Amino acid sequence: MPLMDEFKKERESMKDKPFKEKLGYFWYYYKWHTVGAVFFLIILITLVHDIATSKEIVFNATFMNAYSLDMSGNTEGNAFLNEFAQLAGIDTEKYDVYLDTNMRFDLTSYDQASLAASQKFLAMSAAGEIDVVVSERDIFSNYADSGMFQDLRDCLTEEQLEKYADYFFYYDRTVLEREIDFEEVNNSDLTIPEDTVERRDPDSMSDPVPVGIFLDDSLNDRLIDAGYFIEDQELVFGIMGKEENRQNCLLFLDWLTDKNYVAGE
């Protein structure tokens, strides 16, 4: 008897069988099909849920070599930014604010973690996904000399220019600016050299450009109290964000550097 006819005959014989026996027959012949279908359904439901519940990130702050490292989704970082989101009027039910503390660089040797962090940073920068950066001076200098941070004279308000003038970090556009060499960046033997340039003295430069703010004294209290950095670290703040998100960057700067900041004051 042909196989198909035998199969049809067997199915006909199952019509009058008890439910338990039918179920056993079904599981015997179709269990792997069922497992596969359930697995596919779970993936599909998860994907649809993630798409439906995902929120657009409207502000991204990146803290390089921060100590509070959360690999499970950065919920701690979002909690830190919750106060800022409220201050900025960001509806966190609809939108997300994100703090990336996962970029880590070894200043003495470019290991695999440093290489991965550099590639991630360059990719996100090129995509315009990073709004503000806080990092140690040497790392900040390495990227500032490639022209990656905004000229603060084009960003800050008149009040902020006056407020932060004594803390400006400069680079000399005529001497230091260079195109980013991706082949060089990807060289695993690279190290980040100690920055020996006098970054606070624009008079020592031919074409000084303020692209960062040294977070000295009380300007870093909020960062230290939150545990992201420790005292005596020379930290620098920079703006990378798109112009349409500039207002949030400026508000974040004031909020970050003043524990008692109140909008409008």
Side-chain angles (χ1 to χ4, degrees), residues 76-163:
E76 180 182 333
N78 284 340
F80 175 76
L81 288 182
N82 187 57
E83 181 184 341
F84 166 72
Q86 185 176 6
L87 181 70
I90 297 172
D91 185 353
T92 53
E93 294 295 323
K94 296 181 179 179
Y95 304 102
D96 202 4
V97 290
Y98 186 76
L99 174 57
D100 190 343
T101 61
N102 297 332
M103 292 192 193
R104 308 194 65 77
F105 298 83
D106 184 343
L107 297 178
T108 60
S109 64
Y110 233 52
D111 56 15
Q112 289 300 313
S114 300
L115 179 60
S118 179
Q119 292 174 331
K120 176 183 176 181
F121 180 69
L122 291 171
M124 293 184 67
S125 301
E129 295 179 359
I130 299 177
D131 292 299
V132 299
V133 170
V134 174
S135 80
E136 297 160 279
R137 169 184 168 149
D138 290 340
I139 297 176
F140 192 92
S141 300
N142 184 62
Y143 290 107
D145 290 344
S146 298
M148 296 189 68
F149 296 104
Q150 298 288 339
D151 185 339
L152 295 180
R153 296 170 299 186
D154 299 330
C155 300
L156 303 188
T157 65
E158 291 296 327
E159 292 77 10
Q160 288 175 320
L161 287 171
E162 181 178 352
K163 176 181 178 181

Side-chain angles (χ1 to χ4, degrees), residues 14-75:
M14 291 299 299
K15 286 184 177 180
D16 300 325
K17 299 288 184 181
F19 175 76
K20 185 176 180 181
E21 195 170 332
K22 289 181 180 179
L23 184 62
Y25 173 84
F26 176 85
W27 184 248
Y28 179 80
Y29 283 101
Y30 298 104
K31 63 180 175 181
W32 294 117
H33 300 78
T34 304
V35 170
V38 170
F39 181 71
F40 175 78
L41 186 61
I42 291 174
I43 293 178
L44 182 61
I45 292 174
T46 301
L47 181 61
V48 171
H49 176 269
D50 288 345
I51 294 175
T53 59
S54 64
K55 295 181 286 187
E56 178 186 357
I57 296 176
V58 295
F59 185 80
N60 182 314
T62 295
F63 292 174
M64 296 181 176
N65 280 13
Y67 287 95
S68 297
L69 185 64
D70 179 8
M71 301 298 291
S72 63
N74 213 29
T75 54

Side-chain angles (χ1 to χ4, degrees), residues 173-191:
R173 183 156 44 196
T174 60
V175 177
L176 298 177
E177 185 171 356
R178 58 185 172 82
E179 293 294 325
I180 300 173
D181 187 336
F182 288 94
E183 184 176 350
E184 180 184 3
V185 169
N186 290 330
N187 184 345
S188 60
D189 296 328
L190 277 179
T191 59

